[in-house]
Amino acid sequence: MEKMRKLIICLISCSTFYGLQAQVIEGTVYDAKTKETIPGVVIYLDGTTINTTTDRDGRFRLVINQTVNTKLVFSHLSYESLIITPPFERLGKTIFLNEKTNILQEARVVAGRDWFPRETKMTVFKEQFLGTSEAGKSCTILNEDDIVLTYDNTTNILTGYSRQPIIIENRYLAYLVTFDLHSFSVHYTESNTLDMRKSFKVAFKGTSSFVDQSPYSIRFKTRRDETYLRSKQYFFKNLVANTLEEAKFRLFNRVARINPEQYFMTDGQEAFIIPGTNIRSRHNMVEEGPIYGVIRILYDNTLTSEIVFLTNKVSVDEFGNPDTVDNLIFFGDMGGQRLGNMLPMNFVYTPPTSALLLMRN
């Protein structure tokens, strides 16, 4: 418990989620100033493997056959990214992108405050962004030079951003991930240190797209399944379905084991914290509020996590993705999961026997 308290992870996706129904999104992308069409724009559902690219005439067609709680992103190296929420209500067939303006953010650094060499800061960035698990250590950033890192001695915060989307090769899970990093920060309890043991909060925001580099490998399927079974998505999928016990999750209120139905009302898609219950409502490492509940989770009798609910309701899509992560704070095993352990939001788990039958057929 002491180790879990020391390491607080506030992992924040840029996504504010909306349920999407199977549809086709199509249109043409133009330069907002010149009104000329733009080829090579990447269009993707944030955090998924669903993507396409505009053709030579700036036209695109994105077929969406799954319900995923996410945003639609338009990305191009020369233009500001456009994020649409919700895409089916606000998106027309004519899309305009604004050209990027080159602002040298490095010039904002105050001389004398950043005492650490880039190599040291990059090591910390990889540990906190990719993770130190086997999956995290297997990741390689293919464009490290685009990442800008700064340590501020007056606030004890390491911050970062990337000039271009970060390209990550995850050799453990066999994904090529493109992550458009909007912000990154590590907060420390002491000055003049980048020691992970002195960090108490890690946060990063951005949008991502996944490419499956080995869709038919049993070895990578096994690794992905093992990763998914301990994930936030799998927990929430089983929470709303009232199948936590079958999924090897046990819940605790403080130190007492609880029946989820005592504290949560579910309907297969949403989970409500029942008003008036005695669920823990304070956490000594969280100042934000109000806190509607704190639950402790034990997975497979080995992995411990905590979830702080800053909301009394969570809506979940068919894959287990909650409708908001800004109102959920994770500690312990779930809190320690980084990009290296992330699966696409539209990842489909199939039991080993079923998967082998599908592969043979």
Side-chain angles (χ1 to χ4, degrees):
M1 178 63 74
E2 185 63 25
K3 182 179 180 180
M4 181 173 65
R5 286 177 179 170
K6 287 184 178 180
L7 183 59
I8 297 183
I9 306 305
C10 183
L11 179 60
I12 306 174
S13 166
C14 189
S15 300
T16 302
F17 303 112
Y18 289 81
L20 307 180
Q21 297 178 346
Q23 295 194 39
V24 174
I25 299 179
E26 56 187 343
T28 306
V29 182
Y30 296 87
D31 184 302
K33 185 176 181 180
T34 66
K35 302 302 185 290
E36 295 180 356
T37 58
I38 309 174
V41 178
V42 179
I43 302 103
Y44 60 91
L45 290 185
D46 179 27
T48 74
T49 56
I50 304 170
N51 60 78
T52 189
T53 305
T54 55
D55 63 17
R56 61 195 301 178
D57 298 314
R59 294 176 298 193
F60 70 93
R61 187 172 189 268
L62 186 66
V63 180
I64 303 171
N65 295 316
Q66 300 166 310
T67 301
V68 188
N69 288 338
T70 191
K71 292 180 175 181
L72 183 68
V73 182
F74 291 78
S75 178
H76 191 284
L77 295 180
S78 301
Y79 291 84
E80 298 291 343
S81 294
L82 176 65
I83 301 175
I84 305 294
T85 305
F88 296 119
E89 295 180 16
R90 296 178 49 196
L91 185 66
K93 291 197 173 184
T94 302
I95 308 298
F96 294 97
L97 298 184
N98 294 306
E99 191 173 4
K100 282 183 178 178
T101 54
N102 294 322
I103 301 177
L104 297 179
Q105 298 189 36
E106 297 93 323
R108 300 176 185 175
V109 178
V110 178
R113 289 184 179 179
D114 193 349
W115 297 342
F116 295 100
R118 174 176 172 80
E119 182 179 355
T120 301
K121 291 182 290 187
M122 182 58 65
T123 298
V124 173
F125 176 80
K126 291 178 182 178
E127 290 175 347
Q128 299 285 18
F129 180 64
L130 301 174
T132 57
S133 65
E134 187 175 0
K137 291 179 179 178
S138 80
C139 292
T140 300
I141 297 175
L142 303 182
N143 57 330
E144 284 188 16
D145 291 343
D146 286 324
I147 300 171
V148 179
L149 299 168
T150 304
Y151 174 78
D152 190 332
N153 189 48
T154 62
T155 60
N156 306 332
I157 300 175
L158 175 71
T159 60
Y161 70 94
S162 184
R163 302 183 188 93
Q164 301 293 349
I166 302 173
I167 311 299
I168 304 114
E169 183 180 19
N170 187 330
R171 295 185 300 279
Y172 183 81
L173 296 176
Y175 287 114
L176 186 68
V177 185
T178 301
F179 195 97
D180 192 356
L181 183 68
H182 300 162
S183 64
F184 170 86
S185 63
V186 185
H187 300 242
Y188 295 91
T189 58
E190 298 179 6
S191 61
N192 304 327
T193 182
L194 293 179
D195 188 338
M196 181 182 289
R197 293 170 296 181
K198 304 295 184 180
S199 64
F200 70 94
K201 181 180 179 181
V202 178
F204 55 87
K205 294 183 180 181
T207 58
S208 60
S209 180
F210 289 73
V211 175
D212 191 339
Q213 295 186 305
S214 188
Y216 305 111
S217 167
I218 296 177
R219 177 172 61 129
F220 288 118
K221 174 196 160 16
T222 300
R223 290 179 178 178
R224 293 170 183 178
D225 287 349
E226 291 173 349
T227 300
Y228 178 72
L229 292 178
R230 59 185 284 189
S231 69
K232 306 176 184 74
Q233 293 96 319
Y234 190 56
F235 170 79
F236 281 106
K237 183 180 179 69
N238 285 281
L239 174 64
V240 299
N242 287 320
T243 53
L244 286 175
E245 186 172 345
E246 294 91 325
K248 301 182 180 180
F249 288 105
R250 297 166 61 188
L251 297 191
F252 294 81
N253 182 14
R254 298 178 177 87
V255 295
R257 186 179 177 184
I258 61 174
N259 182 343
E261 295 182 3
Q262 293 178 263
Y263 299 93
F264 293 94
M265 193 166 45
T266 61
D267 62 4
Q269 292 182 322
E270 294 181 316
F272 301 82
I273 296 178
I274 300 173
T277 60
N278 66 341
I279 189 170
R280 180 182 170 196
S281 59
R282 291 187 179 183
H283 197 287
N284 61 353
M285 302 298 288
V286 178
E287 297 180 356
E288 299 98 318
I291 295 177
Y292 289 90
V294 181
I295 60 170
R296 186 165 162 255
I297 304 162
L298 183 63
Y299 172 68
D300 200 20
N301 291 322
T302 56
L303 302 174
T304 304
S305 303
E306 276 190 329
I307 301 179
V308 178
F309 290 81
L310 304 181
T311 177
N312 64 346
K313 183 183 76 171
V314 178
S315 299
V316 177
D317 66 22
E318 63 184 276
F319 301 98
N321 301 296
D323 60 341
T324 176
V325 291
D326 290 343
N327 292 326
L328 300 168
I329 302 178
F330 300 89
F331 296 81
D333 181 64
M334 290 184 183
Q337 294 171 12
R338 299 294 201 276
L339 190 74
N341 291 99
M342 286 186 182
L343 295 165
M345 292 175 64
N346 60 325
F347 175 79
V348 177
Y349 168 74
T350 53
T353 303
S354 301
L356 286 174
L357 288 174
L358 288 172
M359 290 178 179
R360 288 171 182 172
N361 292 333

